[in-house]
Amino acid sequence: MITTLHRPLPRTLVLVGLMGAGKTAVGKRVAARLGLGFTDADHEIETAAGCTIPDIFERYGEPAFRDLERRVIARLMQGPVQVLSTGGGAFMDPQTRALIATHGLSVWLKAELGVLVARTAKRSNRPLLRQGSPREVLAQLMERRHPVYALADLTVESRDGPVEETVDRVLAAIDAHLAAGAAAGETAPGSAPARQTD
Ligand code: S3P
């Protein structure tokens, strides 16, 4: 089990992916293993709105939800380095994506359709999945969103099985990514550029 990284996480880790990919379950555990804070963006949106996500969709409509989502994530990206799980639509917003690219390290948790259908069936709090057969809605979202999620810095498979295994894969992927960045002479944001001594 991986509990530390060889290099400290320089930016907020942002988990993206479809509903049921395990962003919250994995994010919480990654944060606990690294001793970092964890925030669920959907939870923050509900707190900001003073009502649940289904209520936001019903009372104000999806565009209002997206607007709030963009503003809440922008605020969270300005805060200290932490682990942030985002709702499935957040990374589809170009402004949010640009902000995450500048201030975060994004990980797409990629899962197969059957896994997403089984996991999302356990709860009824997702308005988009009430708009038709959840399998069909998820299949359509996969087609539309996967090419955009693929723009994330890292892609990690979220399989059916123990969540801790996905957590291990996420941490191993981050470690490899930071090591490759260090080898290429990348510096953390805000730090002085590496000086060459010859
Ligand atoms: C949405 C995903 C949900 C929530 C909202 C819309 C989406 O979050 O933000 O219902 O557009 O995919 P999860 O991905 O955490 O279920």
Side-chain angles (χ1 to χ4, degrees):
M1 183 163 105
I2 302 173
T3 51
T4 52
L5 296 171
H6 290 97
R7 289 170 184 76
L9 191 65
R11 299 151 171 237
T12 284
L13 182 72
V14 185
L15 296 169
V16 307
L18 276 173
M19 296 173 268
K23 302 176 298 273
T24 302
V26 171
K28 266 185 196 164
R29 288 166 175 82
V30 167
R33 288 220 211 154
L34 298 180
L36 289 172
F38 169 77
T39 303
D40 179 274
D42 280 345
H43 183 73
E44 289 292 307
I45 292 166
E46 290 187 325
T47 304
C51 62
T52 65
I53 288 176
D55 284 343
I56 303 173
F57 270 70
E58 202 178 302
R59 289 186 206 163
Y60 312 107
E62 183 173 347
F65 169 77
R66 296 299 173 199
D67 194 47
L68 185 55
E69 180 174 54
R70 188 183 313 111
R71 285 185 284 130
V72 164
I73 293 176
R75 168 171 60 78
L76 294 169
M77 292 308 297
Q78 306 304 325
V81 170
Q82 60 167 330
V83 179
L84 174 66
S85 73
T86 60
F91 201 65
M92 299 303 292
D93 181 85
Q95 261 173 269
T96 298
R97 236 175 17 253
L99 203 65
I100 294 173
T102 310
H103 299 288
L105 176 66
S106 52
V107 177
W108 171 22
L109 285 184
K110 185 178 183 185
E112 285 177 358
L113 181 59
V115 172
L116 299 174
V117 172
R119 290 198 191 136
T120 53
K122 291 177 194 153
R123 294 177 70 182
S124 61
N125 61 341
R126 293 174 168 112
L128 295 184
L129 298 184
R130 297 179 187 167
Q131 294 176 359
S133 129
R135 175 176 284 274
E136 274 168 31
V137 173
L138 282 165
Q140 281 168 12
L141 289 175
M142 260 179 144
E143 218 170 286
R144 205 160 4 145
R145 292 182 177 178
H146 274 199
V148 178
Y149 293 152
L151 300 172
D153 296 309
L154 299 166
T155 299
V156 173
E157 293 220 11
S158 173
R159 299 183 199 136
D160 202 10
V163 63
E164 299 295 346
E165 287 182 12
T166 303
V167 174
D168 274 331
R169 279 196 293 277
V170 168
L171 291 171
I174 297 169
D175 231 359
H177 178 79
L178 295 180
E186 244 176 48
T187 52
S191 69
R195 279 240 239 100
Q196 199 170 341
T197 48
D198 52 8

